[in-house]
Amino acid sequence: MVLVYPGSFDPVTVGHIDIARRAAKFAERVIIAVLENPNKMPLFSVSDRLTFIKEAFAAEGSNIEVDSFSGLLAEYVVKKNADAILRGLRNSDDFESKYAASNSAIARSLGKDIETIFIPATPALDYVSGSIVREAAAHIYKNGLPDTFVAEHVPPSARAALEKKFKR
Ligand code: ADP
């Protein structure tokens, strides 16, 4: 089974990494797919986001790959010949059942059956999101506070990049 794990990963966090690792235990391959969304103003470029993710998995000879995509997720999943979309489930906001159904319907219209697989967040990590880390890092670096929180929630390259963006 090949899974596409889509998201903004702006930047990748320990919550994202946990879900990808757990999925990679039962899937043949997990493709982490960074969404290039011109309508949203991300903090980091796609290329930076890819670099942080690659670093997070560099030490593992793993079945986790990293890629980026724009446009329709279902089209990308079909193009990759993947079987399912992978999502992490922190709370009810993550349970976008209408998206799951529409992705399946679009993929079917393109000639492929796909499912959405939800993996529940590890309880100790269910508060972690890209936006929490971005907001906290902005305050921490602007005000010269200790950055243990940032260091514990993102890979070292993302920590350094957050410091560079926000430090005054
Ligand atoms: P966010 O900014 O909320 O982290 P993303 O678009 O980067 O949003 O999330 C990509 C995917 O990772 C989504 O399926 C999301 O539910 C999942 N995810 C994000 N953080 C966590 C976490 N702490 N635990 C489990 N899944 C997570």
Side-chain angles (χ1 to χ4, degrees):
M1 183 180 14
V2 176
L3 303 178
V4 167
Y5 181 29
S8 48
F9 304 101
D10 188 29
V12 68
T13 69
V14 287
H16 297 128
I17 293 167
D18 179 63
I19 294 290
R21 281 204 182 120
R22 287 164 62 200
K25 285 189 194 155
F26 66 84
E28 183 192 331
R29 285 160 57 214
V30 175
I31 305 169
I32 300 181
V34 175
L35 173 63
E36 274 182 66
N37 186 346
N39 300 325
K40 276 197 187 172
M41 269 293 289
L43 182 62
F44 292 110
S45 67
V46 169
S47 125
D48 282 350
R49 285 181 270 159
L50 292 171
T51 303
F52 306 150
I53 300 169
K54 281 182 196 148
E55 186 202 77
F57 295 103
E60 304 160 37
S62 84
N63 52 346
I64 300 171
E65 300 163 25
V66 188
D67 193 14
S68 62
F69 76 103
S70 57
L72 268 184
L73 173 61
E75 187 197 357
Y76 174 78
V77 174
V78 171
K79 194 178 84 190
K80 286 295 192 179
N81 204 16
D83 304 289
I85 295 166
L86 171 65
R87 294 210 184 266
L89 202 49
R90 286 163 292 192
N91 48 46
S92 57
D93 291 346
D94 280 336
F95 184 65
E96 298 153 329
S97 61
K98 286 205 176 83
Y99 284 112
S102 56
N103 283 324
S104 289
I106 295 167
R108 205 173 309 116
S109 75
L110 301 175
K112 179 139 177 108
D113 277 329
I114 61 165
E115 290 291 346
T116 297
I117 295 180
F118 292 95
I119 296 191
T122 293
L125 297 176
D126 68 4
Y127 65 90
V128 184
S129 69
S131 60
I132 293 276
V133 169
R134 290 195 303 276
E135 269 178 50
H139 287 282
I140 286 166
Y141 291 119
K142 280 179 189 161
N143 298 307
L145 301 172
D147 72 349
T148 318
F149 177 85
V150 182
E152 284 175 348
H153 289 83
V154 298
S157 58
R159 190 210 66 75
L162 286 162
E163 181 173 15
K164 200 167 158 213
K165 280 241 184 248
F166 294 122
K167 202 166 188 168
R168 277 203 270 235

